[in-house]
Each structure stands twice: as structure tokens, then as C-alpha cells.
Amino acid sequence: MQSIVLKTRKQVFIMPRMNILNRTEQEMFDTPPVFNRAERKQFFDFPSSLLETALRLQKPESRMGFLLSCGYFKAGKRFYRPQDYHQ
């Protein structure tokens, strides 16, 4: 079990971390969703203002990462690690 350490000026508190999800549930929570064709169209259809923001980024890799992050956030209401995105 992991612990959370809270420090104040004079005291240190060590609190056990709550385990709300089991290991399988945690892996499912941490893994980006797999989209079918309709869902890809739904979650990766961006307004022009967001596309304009992406175009202001210098590198194509940055633009793609930004848009992927936006699409996955739109679907899962959370951010995922880029290395976990599906091909």
C-alpha cells in the first residue's frame, strides 16, 4: 500500500492511500478507450478554433499530440499518457 506524505511547518503526517479500484479496474481506468469509426468521428471532430490553436504549434508532432490529447479528453474526461494511445 502506498502512503501520502503531508508536511506542515512543524509536523509530517503519513496517511495510507485509499485503494478504490482493484488492479484490473485501475488498468482499465488508465487505458484510453478504443474507438469504432463513429466514435472516432465524434471525438476527433474539432471546432475550427481548436484546429487553429493546433496550427500555431511549431512541430507536426506537437500538433498531433495536442489533437490526440483533446480527442481522448473529450471521450474520457481525463488525460492519458501519450504512450498509451492506440495505433
Side-chain angles (χ1 to χ4, degrees), residues 34-64:
V34 177
F35 301 116
N36 62 32
R37 185 180 198 147
E39 290 168 330
R40 277 194 303 274
K41 185 168 177 57
Q42 175 186 354
F43 295 119
F44 293 94
D45 182 27
F46 303 117
S48 59
S49 60
L50 191 67
L51 294 172
E52 289 170 11
T53 300
L55 286 173
R56 283 188 238 134
L57 299 172
Q58 291 183 348
K59 296 180 181 179
E61 303 88 37
S62 298
R63 290 181 205 132
M64 183 58 69

Side-chain angles (χ1 to χ4, degrees), residues 26-37:
Q26 185 66 47
E27 287 175 10
M28 287 176 55
F29 179 77
D30 290 337
T31 303
V34 177
F35 301 116
N36 62 32
R37 185 180 198 147

Side-chain angles (χ1 to χ4, degrees), residues 5-29:
V5 178
L6 300 173
K7 296 180 182 180
T8 65
R9 288 185 180 183
K10 296 182 181 182
Q11 296 178 327
V12 174
F13 299 96
I14 299 176
M15 300 172 52
R17 176 175 246 165
M18 290 178 55
N19 291 324
I20 297 171
L21 304 174
N22 66 37
R23 184 178 300 251
T24 303
E25 292 168 331
Q26 185 66 47
E27 287 175 10
M28 287 176 55
F29 179 77

